[in-house]
Amino acid sequence: MALRWPEPIPTLQKEVQQYGWRRVIFMHLDELVTRVTAGIPLTEVRNIIRGEPPPRPNPRVKPHTEGFILHIKPSFYHEAVTRLYPTFRLGLLSFYLFLIETITGIFLMIFYTPSPLVAYENMLRILNNVPFGQLVRDVHRLGAEAMVVAVMLHMLRTFFTASYKRPRQFTWATGVILLVFTLFLSFSGYLLPWDQLSYWAVTIGTSMAEATPPPALGRIVNLILRGAPDIGAAGLLRFYLLHVIFLPLLLFFVFFVHYYKVVRHGLSLPPEMEAVGDDTARKVPPEKRVPYIPDIAIQEALWGIALIAFLVIGAAFFYDAPLEQHADPLNTPLHTTAPWYFLWLQGLLKDPFLLALDRLGLPSPPSTIYNSKTFMGVILPGLILLFLLIMPYLDFNISRRYSHRRKALVAGLVGVAAWTLLTYMGTPAFAVTSSADVEVLQEFMPLNPDPLYGEGRVRTIPYEQLIPGTYDTRNLQPPADAPKLSRVLEELKHRIETDPHLPQGYAVVRISEAQPGLKRFEIAIRWAQMKNGQPVLDPEGKPVMEESKRAIYLHRDGGYGGE
Amino acid sequence: MFDLATRRIIGATILTLATVITIGMVWLTEEQRMARFEAMHKAKAIENGALLYEQYCSTCHGPNGEGVPGKGPDLNPGVFQHYEALKQNQNYANSLRNFIKLTIAAGRPIRSTYRANEVYADPMPTWSQDFGGPLRPDQIDSLVEFILNWQTAGPAPTPTPAFEAVGTDLTKPLPPGDPKRGEALWNQEVKQASGAAASCKACHSLKPGEVLVGPSLAGIATRAAERIRAPDYRGQAKTPEEYIRESIQQPNAYIVEPDKYAAAPGVSKMPATLGNQMSAQDLADLIAFLMTLK
């Protein structure tokens, strides 16, 4: 029961005289709680905690009308949308992730300067000298990946439950814009560590911009995005500003439009609960209402707690955000890829149609317009995006029932399958071949961590087992007390001897001590030079050998020796 | 067993506790983790520095920092000794790290007098992009870490085989020379008596007319015979063999085209210490090889 102030407002002394001090303390506390909660008095808080039903009139809806934060939230939900299905809470999770990214991002901004001269050094400082620096960075990175996943799944869910249909077409369109912003937000953050991974992933991603037709416009778009023909100081600053100000502000704005529309139309019920063509989300019968306070609020808080637990525990024990070598514009790592959510674009650029025709033994068509970078990298993705935006307006099937939407569901599944396939085709595992010797060297000791092979087999050898010497795979005699070294040498031998492109191939491995605590590991691969399927012979009748060499250095404290 | 609300409370409590415990664990181990990462990143810098050293520095300073006569001084332990000498004799006030870093980044505008009796053909070039060189600042830092690692590790034990060097003594009798072994010496396929590779080809080409640092040695046998008859020849050689021998052991005795090949008046670009690396046999073999270049 709410208490009323007696008029006129008495002094504290008089209050105490009149009511006793216990009651006065309660009155003041009650007023404080009522103000902070924008309308829920202390007695009602007690009722909520005890799980009692609200009185009439219900004071628990007050925060929705009086408070700023909750005024955008509905005061009750339909009971059918409070379970895991049909929403899976993906929209809520996306929003939470955005908040977590903002908070962790501000923490990281404190220690970061967007300049190629110091950006990488700042990253090392965050990892080496900032308490919790690694944890916060890992949470930020893991959260970014999770946000992309959550937003994508949210879109798929909306499609499969047909929640995009009338009257929610515009909500869907804003959602597609939010998806694009989320991707670009994540992508713009990718560049900031200024390591080889980020530099080349973003170089690939932005190379599409140049292909914008016509060429003159493409050049301008490229210059605007990168600040120069190639990514450098200007490009880093631009991406930084996109990442910390421009895209978050835009996303925040569009998010409110999106959420306003969600509330305005109500959360769509599971398709099977409504008659075909009906939309009853806003007509919730009283017995189906679940009040926001306290039930939904507690549920949402629980999801928030679970999400934070997932991110913190995941980042602390299972996930490390990658940091490779300092960005080097002069040295493109083998097997460079775009971020995983843009791999499908990279897959498209590998000309899947031509490859398919080729595999089927069919002649390729004479025109090359459709397999150009302009078409595959800009026009086709643009058309896909446009289609996604207007898709609900083109869908004239009013039924949301699964059984009435067989074609749409099949189309959706085909879309997901095509996306997955193109993503696979974007990875270096598909249709990227360098010469066989380079592939072997990359597999065993890449200069940068490789998307396919990681740090490489050589770096799994513990430092103590790198016993100096020369090891020839034709006649392997590795030292007995170095089992891991022996295993890697055996693998190298097997790998080279079974490679059809390295006829009579063998490797000579030289391990030497460059400085105490620093060893040099060199692999020289030799194989017979072939001509028309026959080994080329020198005047003495011996096969002419080709050689490919690479050396890396391994330091005792380099943190190697793991699998 | 429990109703929904109770299950939620239990779940939320467990998850909150797990999060708090995780953060506590990270907190407790954070100091060690940061120290470990620092060591790891320093190790990576040394590894990168080693690759850069192999690519850019080893041609003049030797693969193990032992130096290349006539091209670059030894760094291990030379650079550390040189720094100590600068500190003591000239009140040099910068740190060792900065001394190395500045030398790499900005190069040496004048030729070093790094080692007594050594003259280097060219001064140290600038390496940092700040001064028009090819390397980024972080690459310079990696190189510095690599070079400093010699000091922390102590000089690498390189056993020096005992041998009698020919030095600058022109009177010492030479055994008969083997041109085949001389060629192998030239190509650095076999080592000199000192254990270091002969550095002739770093400065002298065998292609006619090609000037690396010193003149091309194509046709040197014929030219040597002409030189000893030249009016301005001031040396003691009477035969082409003796002329070549004199040029190797005492390059300052007679400098051809001083405008081109003198580092200072009367001082040849060719180092005067080459004889310290060679035994009489090495010298004889090299001369025999050079005499085949008619």
Side-chain angles (χ1 to χ4, degrees):
Chain A
M1 184 198 74
L3 290 167
R4 288 271 176 87
W5 288 110
E7 297 290 337
I9 297 173
T11 62
L12 192 61
Q13 191 190 5
K14 280 191 181 163
E15 276 175 40
V16 174
Q17 281 168 354
Q18 195 173 349
Y19 301 108
W21 60 270
R22 280 189 190 212
R23 187 157 171 164
V24 170
I25 290 177
F26 177 77
M27 272 157 46
H28 281 266
L29 198 61
D30 184 56
E31 195 209 357
L32 182 71
V33 170
T34 312
R35 287 188 179 198
V36 169
T37 58
I40 302 183
L42 192 55
T43 43
E44 195 52 36
V45 172
R46 182 166 168 272
N47 283 348
I48 289 173
I49 292 169
R50 290 166 67 103
E52 284 171 16
R56 294 201 175 265
N58 185 353
R60 298 176 190 178
V61 296
K62 271 266 176 131
H64 291 282
T65 53
E66 301 296 324
F68 170 71
I69 295 172
L70 287 188
H71 89 278
I72 195 173
K73 284 255 169 201
S75 56
F76 59 84
Y77 285 53
H78 193 294
E79 180 259 330
V81 296
T82 60
R83 306 201 186 90
L84 192 59
Y85 172 82
T87 64
F88 301 98
R89 294 299 179 282
L90 289 162
L92 177 75
L93 287 178
S94 308
F95 178 69
Y96 276 161
L97 283 163
F98 180 74
L99 287 185
I100 291 170
E101 290 304 283
T102 308
I103 293 164
T104 51
I106 287 172
F107 177 89
L108 293 171
M109 274 171 78
I110 297 171
F111 303 100
Y112 181 81
T113 311
S115 153
L117 292 176
V118 291
Y120 186 75
E121 212 174 289
N122 287 170
M123 299 311 295
L124 293 185
R125 225 169 87 82
I126 288 171
L127 294 178
N128 295 348
N129 291 311
V130 178
F132 293 105
Q134 192 204 16
L135 182 71
V136 174
R137 175 167 185 254
D138 289 352
V139 167
H140 190 74
R141 181 64 188 263
L142 186 61
E145 309 280 17
M147 188 170 161
V148 172
V149 173
V151 173
M152 282 180 173
L153 289 178
H154 185 43
M155 186 179 85
L156 284 179
R157 189 287 292 180
T158 310
F159 177 79
F160 284 115
T161 62
S163 304
Y164 62 88
K165 294 201 180 195
R166 208 179 135 79
R168 297 184 180 78
Q169 299 103 319
F170 186 68
T171 319
W172 165 274
T174 54
V176 172
I177 294 170
L178 283 173
L179 171 70
V180 173
F181 284 170
T182 303
L183 293 182
F184 281 109
L185 198 53
S186 177
F187 180 67
S188 58
Y190 219 85
L191 181 66
L192 304 188
W194 203 247
D195 62 346
Q196 280 287 72
L197 177 72
S198 64
Y199 183 88
W200 289 100
V202 172
T203 295
I204 290 183
T206 53
S207 68
M208 247 66 90
E210 301 176 272
T212 312
L217 182 65
R219 271 198 300 279
I220 292 171
V221 171
N222 187 48
L223 277 181
I224 289 175
L225 194 60
R226 291 180 174 179
D230 288 310
I231 295 172
L236 179 58
L237 185 57
R238 274 161 210 227
F239 270 70
Y240 177 73
L241 292 176
L242 279 178
H243 188 67
V244 304
I245 298 182
F246 190 65
L247 288 171
L249 279 183
L250 273 181
L251 191 134
F252 208 57
F253 174 75
V254 180
F255 162 72
F256 274 113
V257 176
H258 183 74
Y259 193 64
Y260 178 76
K261 290 288 174 189
V262 169
V263 176
R264 190 82 188 80
H265 298 303
L267 275 72
S268 68
L269 303 187
E272 62 276 12
M273 289 192 56
E274 289 176 315
V276 171
D278 268 8
D279 181 46
T280 52
R282 296 281 285 170
K283 301 169 201 144
V284 187
E287 72 276 11
K288 294 278 186 193
R289 290 179 186 183
V290 179
Y292 182 79
I293 294 175
D295 301 55
I296 307 292
I298 288 173
Q299 214 189 69
E300 290 189 350
L302 184 58
W303 278 98
I305 289 170
L307 181 64
I308 290 172
F310 165 75
L311 290 176
V312 170
I313 294 171
F317 299 116
F318 303 105
Y319 177 81
D320 282 332
L323 184 69
E324 296 186 356
Q325 307 273 4
H326 192 290
D328 186 352
L330 303 177
N331 168 19
T332 316
L334 197 67
H335 299 159
T336 298
T337 58
W340 63 269
Y341 41 82
F342 283 144
L343 278 176
W344 61 278
L345 264 175
Q346 216 172 337
L348 270 180
L349 288 170
K350 287 181 188 170
D351 298 333
F353 302 148
L354 278 192
L355 281 169
L357 288 177
D358 191 51
R359 294 270 157 98
L360 294 170
L362 298 169
S364 28
S367 165
T368 53
I369 293 170
Y370 66 88
N371 68 357
S372 67
K373 192 168 153 189
T374 302
F375 184 81
M376 285 302 203
V378 180
I379 296 177
L380 188 58
L383 288 175
I384 292 172
L385 182 62
L386 184 69
F387 173 75
L388 280 178
L389 271 174
I390 61 172
M391 186 267 287
Y393 299 102
L394 302 177
D395 188 347
F396 298 108
N397 178 3
I398 54 165
S399 175
R400 292 181 57 216
R401 296 280 166 90
Y402 296 109
S403 55
H404 298 163
R405 300 176 59 229
R406 294 212 167 106
K407 280 179 205 151
L409 293 180
V410 167
L413 289 174
V414 167
V416 172
W419 183 87
T420 312
L421 185 68
L422 281 172
T423 297
Y424 164 72
M425 290 172 64
T427 64
F430 179 82
V432 174
T433 38
S434 27
S435 57
D437 54 306
V438 173
E439 285 289 335
V440 174
L441 290 176
Q442 186 73 3
E443 188 175 330
F444 281 81
M445 44 186 214
L447 295 175
N448 290 289
D450 186 279
L452 292 181
Y453 310 122
E455 293 259 39
R457 308 290 299 144
V458 166
R459 289 192 181 87
T460 63
I461 307 170
Y463 185 81
E464 314 78 59
Q465 294 194 25
L466 294 168
I467 295 166
T470 303
Y471 307 96
D472 190 324
T473 58
R474 288 170 300 183
N475 178 24
L476 261 189
Q477 285 169 327
D481 49 349
K484 189 73 207 180
L485 174 66
S486 313
R487 193 141 28 106
V488 172
L489 289 173
E490 284 293 343
E491 284 165 4
L492 180 65
K493 175 185 164 79
H494 181 255
R495 174 72 179 75
I496 291 177
E497 285 175 0
T498 54
D499 194 316
H501 301 291
L502 298 173
Q504 305 176 32
Y506 66 96
V508 177
V509 173
R510 280 197 199 88
I511 304 175
S512 53
E513 192 158 18
Q515 290 173 337
L518 183 70
K519 281 174 183 155
R520 184 175 188 275
F521 197 106
E522 181 191 270
I523 299 179
I525 301 173
R526 300 199 184 117
W527 68 100
Q529 195 183 354
M530 301 294 272
K531 200 174 180 186
N532 306 327
Q534 290 297 318
V536 180
L537 300 178
D538 66 4
E540 289 171 31
K542 287 186 198 155
V544 178
M545 300 301 271
E546 303 212 45
E547 190 185 61
S548 177
K549 246 195 225 181
R550 180 185 285 179
I552 58 169
Y553 287 85
L554 299 160
H555 193 277
R556 191 175 38 218
D557 299 331
Y560 307 124
E563 271 305 321
Chain B
M1 192 161 67
F2 298 111
D3 65 357
L4 183 65
T6 316
R7 284 210 299 273
R8 279 182 180 160
I9 290 169
I10 292 172
T13 310
I14 291 173
L15 287 171
T16 309
L17 271 178
T19 309
V20 169
I21 289 171
T22 305
I23 291 175
M25 282 170 71
V26 172
W27 192 345
L28 287 178
T29 55
E30 196 65 351
E31 283 295 323
Q32 293 97 298
R33 184 199 62 76
M34 289 195 290
R36 205 175 65 242
F37 270 50
E38 183 130 27
M40 193 175 86
H41 288 131
K42 188 177 166 191
K44 302 232 178 206
I46 293 172
E47 292 171 4
N48 289 338
L51 276 178
L52 290 167
Y53 183 89
E54 189 173 323
Q55 191 180 351
Y56 293 104
C57 315
S58 62
T59 43
C60 292
H61 293 290
N64 294 307
E66 68 275 32
V68 177
K71 296 225 83 178
D74 64 304
L75 303 178
N76 178 29
V79 71
F80 307 109
Q81 295 171 352
H82 185 48
Y83 170 73
E84 286 303 321
L86 280 176
K87 230 165 67 167
Q88 282 171 18
N89 304 337
Q90 301 183 28
N91 289 330
Y92 186 78
N94 219 332
S95 67
L96 174 63
R97 177 178 289 270
N98 284 346
F99 169 67
I100 298 172
K101 183 172 174 173
L102 289 171
T103 307
I104 299 173
R108 279 282 161 82
I110 53 168
R111 284 186 184 81
S112 301
T113 51
Y114 195 96
R115 285 267 187 244
N117 302 327
E118 276 283 14
V119 178
Y120 305 111
D122 291 305
M124 172 92 165
T126 58
W127 289 101
S128 169
Q129 287 176 348
D130 292 344
F131 300 103
L135 299 179
R136 297 188 309 268
D138 65 289
Q139 291 177 311
I140 303 276
D141 286 338
S142 296
L143 266 174
V144 174
E145 287 293 354
F146 172 73
I147 289 166
L148 282 175
N149 197 42
W150 267 318
Q151 195 196 30
T152 49
T158 39
T160 318
F163 72 101
E164 204 182 326
V166 289
T168 53
D169 183 5
L170 294 177
T171 58
K172 197 177 176 136
L174 294 186
D178 172 7
K180 272 242 150 145
R181 185 166 174 275
E183 187 173 7
L185 273 169
W186 175 279
N187 289 326
Q188 302 182 340
E189 286 155 2
V190 297
K191 299 276 165 70
Q192 301 171 101
S194 70
S199 51
C200 321
K201 70 171 186 180
C203 301
H204 293 288
S205 168
L206 293 184
K207 277 192 214 145
E210 187 184 27
V211 176
L212 298 175
V213 174
S216 161
L217 293 187
I220 183 63
T222 320
R223 234 178 18 258
E226 291 163 11
R227 292 272 187 247
I228 48 178
R229 290 195 297 274
D232 67 329
Y233 177 66
R234 294 180 285 102
Q236 306 160 13
K238 302 281 179 288
T239 63
E241 285 90 345
E242 280 177 24
Y243 176 80
I244 293 173
R245 176 175 184 178
E246 183 183 72
S247 301
I248 295 173
Q249 287 183 278
Q250 296 185 2
N252 299 338
Y254 171 60
I255 305 171
V256 181
E257 295 181 59
D259 295 349
K260 238 167 145 182
Y261 301 121
V267 181
S268 170
K269 279 188 178 178
M270 178 133 156
T273 50
L274 293 175
N276 297 343
Q277 305 273 341
M278 296 179 196
S279 66
Q281 185 66 55
D282 292 333
L283 183 58
D285 293 345
L286 258 179
I287 293 173
F289 165 63
L290 291 174
M291 283 305 292
T292 64
L293 306 172
K294 300 280 184 195

